[in-house]
């Protein structure tokens, strides 16, 4: 089976934390265990301030195997308030990425 | 987890805590809520969901939740409560409030709520059934939450208006009638962190994806500022000057919609003359925003069609909030953006179903004109403030707290406090509100968890149901929908259930009308022609085309006025840029700028002593005001009571990131953990509100750390204006900050001594 992954259009990530909690709920991770974290990369750059967030699926991310096996989207992808995450085959996602500036592709273990 | 059985419902209040509207799927196993998902078929959120709704299971089954009625057995503040039955609890309320009514009159009881949640309907119903006119957002200085903006819109256009994100159309943004705004002005809000005023915040990102360009007006950089064509970083509280400056550019450069203005508006010449008093050099000096940026933003907005404005509560909290709002409404009015696709659409409750009385018209339809008039005789603030008397049903919060202490013009003896934690939240001058509530003979708290307010003042506690446990209805604004219970938790009851039962005791006539909550909901649904059962399980309804509660261009079609003629629901039928109603209310009929009560301009000596402007109230995506600090999944995302401080300011004060600092002025002193960040202006600090530490000592004197952490200890009450609205100085209080040094962490008693309420 082709390798699956997450394409994250981080330019649109507003730092809303929905993915973080969606993942915890789905996996019943207690506080302190994170399947995905969202990091703030706010910085001053050329006289302006750039507020950017980047979601980082951790080693606990299993791409929501149980959900996807049942035909559901991963919990983070479905609930992302900005709709900035896509689940799919890594090769296919890489092609989408060509026309998606400021995005990252995540392939889990 | 595989799909199991779920109940489809709509979010509004306890749980996510929000202004609501999302479709939810509540998964139940063996009578227990096991999971929450967004409803992907729901037009509002299309499956998406915020962290607070996703953490609902931790909220619903939290070990500290109130599960049954409690009565106080120790002194107030000792935290000693004893379980009682619902019968005993309701008998007690009936007896105690009844005695007060007999002795002092029904007006001696205040019915206090917090923000715009699914409590406004039930609490006003109980308040009026009891016979009190005093339905109050107690603690909310200047009544500055949406009501000032609503008043400005009502007395200008005769209706309310919101950014058109397709929310009134069944197909949303995909509807063929819909157009995406070419430009969106995000004015004083961070829509990423919540869904304020019933508006799903991420509709703004949806519009951006479809091409909307942004203008952002805020004292603080947000995710949206970084993506804006123009970001205007204004001095807190100067929004009216900025809006008038933009109006001046648009009018003097002829960028307004002449046809719309000529055909539909009145008072344009007066507005033009007023705007001319705000040349850009003056506005720039007032607002800190470069003149050229103001001009460019004004042109960008006026030349785009359609364009829309998404505005936030800081407008209400500015000095004279109604006038700031009025100036901003004129931007969309004179550019012809009102009630067009992708503009500012007129927002009415779907099918004119009144749940939460949003306007005088709705109060009349629910309770009758005579009744409302009678209530006005004693309503707090209604004699003093003509606008307030003629708008909605609220009592004036600042006058209410004063009256709770002074007993003038008549005594206030009891407070019904329903799902509002004002001492941990909105109450400006926390100590004053603490004393006022302590001064009551009887306080009832209806809530889900112990909090500083319940701990300090409750005599009786009633356990409120969460969103997962209740039946209710929602028509704010579209679609019309109902809420369905999925589980029962302890003996918790919904706000409607509690209030209907008590209302029947106070007004036995209601027994004949409503047996159950469902009967009451069905009664309220009547204007729509639907019943609760027809709407449940995801059968939400949008109004039909060409009806008064669905856009567009209703003023042309005669759908807005009661007489069916084209035009607006104003005294003149025109969109009144010069408000004849404001004139009648002894207010300036045109917008104007006034300095914040404390500022470098108005109070320079004070500013020399306290050189920083404290802006409170920035939203966190994981909290709703003072809620959710006890929910583990949420708290770990935003763990500490921080203060955001600019790197230059921090450096000058010798403060490093993560260090505990004191924030103080003549009213008091609090502590916060410094977050050094360039998103704030060097002359302002941002201090998130609603902080208390549920994990620390709740009994007095600690009250979960509020005397140590709550920023509203430093904020004065309002109002600052003849309208009775606006000027809750939450955004413009002057303070100084200083380093505290080693070991000064909150909640551990180290460093400063906590300030107590008695001081
Ligand atoms: S794909 Fe599933 S496991 Fe991975 S981060 Fe998203 S929610 Fe967590
Ligand atoms: S849910 Fe989406 S927008 Fe929100 S933090 Fe996660 S990736 Fe970012
Ligand atoms: S805050 Fe917004 S996303 Fe969350 S439940 Fe409320 S309306 Fe829905």
């Amino acid at each position: 089976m082709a390798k699956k992954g997450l394409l994250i259009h981080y330019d649109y990530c507003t730092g809303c934390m929905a993915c973080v909690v969606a993942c915890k709920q789905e996996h019943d991770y207690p506080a302190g265990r994170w399947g995905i974290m969202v990091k703030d990369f706010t910085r001053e750059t050329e006289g302006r301030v750039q507020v950017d967030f980047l979601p980082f699926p951790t080693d606990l991310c299993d791409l929501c195997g149980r959900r996807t096996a049942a035909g559901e989207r991963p919990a983070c992808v479905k609930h992302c308030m900005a709709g900035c995450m896509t689940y799919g085959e890594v090769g296919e996602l890489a092609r989408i990425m060509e026309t998606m500036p400021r995005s990252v592709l995540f392939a889990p273990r | 987890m595989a799909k199991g059985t779920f109940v489809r419902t709509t979010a509004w209040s306890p749980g996510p805590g929000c202004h609501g509207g999302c479709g939810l799927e509540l998964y139940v196993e063996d009578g227990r809520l096991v999971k929450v998902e967004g409803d992907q078929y729901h037009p509002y959120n299309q499956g998406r969901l915020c962290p607070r709704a996703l953490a609902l299971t931790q909220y619903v089954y939290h070990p500290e939740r109130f599960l049954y009625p409690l009565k106080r057995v120790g002194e107030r503040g000792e935290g000693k409560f004893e379980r009682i039955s619902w019968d005993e609890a309701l008998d007690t309320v009936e007896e105690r409030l009844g005695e007060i009514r007999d002795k002092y009159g029904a007006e001696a009881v205040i019915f206090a709520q917090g923000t715009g949640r699914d409590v406004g309907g039930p609490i006003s119903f109980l308040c009026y059934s009891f016979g009190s006119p005093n339905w109050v957002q107690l603690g909310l200085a200047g009544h500055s939450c949406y009501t000032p903006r609503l008043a400005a819109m009502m007395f200008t256009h005769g209706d309310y208006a919101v950014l058109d994100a397709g929310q009134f159309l069944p197909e949303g943004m995909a509807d063929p009638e819909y157009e995406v705004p070419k430009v969106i002005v995000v004015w004083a809000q961070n829509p990423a962190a919540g869904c304020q005023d019933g508006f799903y915040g991420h509709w703004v990102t949806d519009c951006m994806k479809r091409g909307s360009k942004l203008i952002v007006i805020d004292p603080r950089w947000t995710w949206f500022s970084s993506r804006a064509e123009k970001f205007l970083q204004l001095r807190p509280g100067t929004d009216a000057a900025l809006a008038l400056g933009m109006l001046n550019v648009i009018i003097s450069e002829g960028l307004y919609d002449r046809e719309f203005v000529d055909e539909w508006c009145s008072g344009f010449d007066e507005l033009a003359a007023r705007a001319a008093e705000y040349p850009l050099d003056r506005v720039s000096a007032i607002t800190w925003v470069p003149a050229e940026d103001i001009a460019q933003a004004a042109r960008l907005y006026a030349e785009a069609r359609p364009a829309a404005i998404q505005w936030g509560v800081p407008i209400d909290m500015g000095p004279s909030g109604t006038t700031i709002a009025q100036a901003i409404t004129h931007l969309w009015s004179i550019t012809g953006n009102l009630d067009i696709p992708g503009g500012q659409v007129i927002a009415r409750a779907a099918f004119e179903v009144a749940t939460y009385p949003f306007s005088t018209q709705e109060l009349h339809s629910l309770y009758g004109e005579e009744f409302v008039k009678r209530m006005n005789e004693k309503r707090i603030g209604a004699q003093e403030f003509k606008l307030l008397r003629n708008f909605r049903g609220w009592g004036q919060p600042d006058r209410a707290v004063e009256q709770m202490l002074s007993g003038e013009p008549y005594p206030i003896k009891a407070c019904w406090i329903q799902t509002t934690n004002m001492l941990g939240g909105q109450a400006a001058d926390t100590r004053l509100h603490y004393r006022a509530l302590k001064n009551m003979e009887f306080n009832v708290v209806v809530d889900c968890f112990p909090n500083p307010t319940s701990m300090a003042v409750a005599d009786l506690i009633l356990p409120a149901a969460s969103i997962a446990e209740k039946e209710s209805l929602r028509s704010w604004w579209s679609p019309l929908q109902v809420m369905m219970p999925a589980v029962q938790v302890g003996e918790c009851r919904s706000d409607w259930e509690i209030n209907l039962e008590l209302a029947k005791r106070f007004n036995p006539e209601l027994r004949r009308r409503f047996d159950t909550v469902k009967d009451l909901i069905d009664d309220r649904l009547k204007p729509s022609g639907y019943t609760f059962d027809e709407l449940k399980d995801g059968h939400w309804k949008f109004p039909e085309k060409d009806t008064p509660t669905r856009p567009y261009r209703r003023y042309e079609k005669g759908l807005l006025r009661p007489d069916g003629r084209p035009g607006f629901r104003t005294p003149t039928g025109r969109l009144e840029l010069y408000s004849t109603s404001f004139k009648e209310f002894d207010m300036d009929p045109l917008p104007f700028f006034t300095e914040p009560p404390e500022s470098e301009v108005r109070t320079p000596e004070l500013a020399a002593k306290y050189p920083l402007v404290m802006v409170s109230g920035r939203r966190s995506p994981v909290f709703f005001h003072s809620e959710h600090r006890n929910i583990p999944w949420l708290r770990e995302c935003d763990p500490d009571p921080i203060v955001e401080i600019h790197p230059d300011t921090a450096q000058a004060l010798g403060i490093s990131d993560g260090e505990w600092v004191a924030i103080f002025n003549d009213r008091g002193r609090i502590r916060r953990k410094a977050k050094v960040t360039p998103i704030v202006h060097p002359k302002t600090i941002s201090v998130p509100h609603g902080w208390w530490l549920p994990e620390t000592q709740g009994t007095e004197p600690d009250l979960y750390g509020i005397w140590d952490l709550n920023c509203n200890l430093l904020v004065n009450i309002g109002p600052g204006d003849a309208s009775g609205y606006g000027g809750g100085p939450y955004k413009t209080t002057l303070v100084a900050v200083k380093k505290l040094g080693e070991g000064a962490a909150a909640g551990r008693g180290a460093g400063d001594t906590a300030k107590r309420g008695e001081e």
Side-chain angles (χ1 to χ4, degrees), chain A residues 9-22 24-26 28-34 40 42-44 47-53 66-67 70 72-73 75 77-84 102, chain B residues 1 3 25 34-40 46-51 54-58 192 195 200 202 205-206 208-209 221-228 621-622 632-634 636-637 646-647 675 677-679:
Chain A
H9 195 186
Y10 73 85
D11 193 22
Y12 272 96
C13 172
T14 60
C16 78
M17 301 288 165
C19 52
V20 169
V21 180
K24 284 172 188 282
Q25 179 185 227
E26 184 65 28
D28 209 11
Y29 291 148
R33 292 189 85 196
W34 313 70
D40 180 346
T42 297
R43 65 215 180 273
E44 232 170 337
R48 51 196 305 284
V49 177
Q50 186 64 31
V51 178
D52 280 333
F53 299 96
R66 270 180 308 177
R67 286 178 74 99
E72 291 284 309
R73 286 176 292 163
V77 172
K78 175 179 175 187
H79 292 105
C80 174
M81 295 279 278
C84 72
R102 290 165 50 81
Chain B
M1 187 180 302
K3 281 245 174 196
E25 295 174 352
V34 291
K35 185 165 82 154
V36 180
E37 297 237 347
D39 180 348
Q40 58 185 321
Q46 299 132 340
R48 300 174 281 181
L49 214 51
C50 67
L54 288 164
L56 192 62
T57 52
Q58 288 198 335
C195 302
Y200 184 82
H202 282 77
T205 55
D206 295 350
M208 289 164 69
K209 286 184 179 169
W221 285 86
T222 63
W223 182 88
F224 295 91
S225 320
S226 297
R227 283 151 184 80
V622 292
W633 283 339
L634 301 175
E636 69 174 343
C637 294
H646 191 273
K675 181 176 176 185
T677 166
I679 64 175

Side-chain angles (χ1 to χ4, degrees), chain B residues 702-714:
Chain B
D702 301 85
L703 296 180
Y704 303 104
I706 56 166
W707 308 119
D708 197 21
L709 297 169
N710 186 346
C711 53
N712 285 334
L713 288 170
L714 311 182

Side-chain angles (χ1 to χ4, degrees), chain B residues 369-413:
Chain B
E369 221 164 305
E370 265 317 296
F371 177 85
V372 175
K373 219 158 118 191
R374 188 153 47 79
M375 288 292 112
N376 275 345
E377 284 161 25
K378 290 275 176 74
R379 169 151 68 108
I380 296 172
Q383 297 309 315
E384 182 181 353
F385 303 109
K386 282 196 191 167
L387 170 64
L388 186 132
R389 177 158 80 240
N390 287 284
F391 189 54
R392 302 187 76 185
W394 300 105
Q396 211 288 336
D398 305 284
R399 293 296 179 261
V401 70
E402 289 165 347
Q403 192 170 337
M404 287 163 79
L405 285 161
S406 71
E408 297 297 331
Y410 57 82
I412 304 289
K413 294 292 178 189

Side-chain angles (χ1 to χ4, degrees), chain B residues 715-735:
Chain B
V715 175
N716 212 351
I717 60 168
D721 190 63
S723 64
Y725 295 145
Y730 299 99
K731 307 287 179 185
T732 55
T733 292
L734 295 180
V735 296

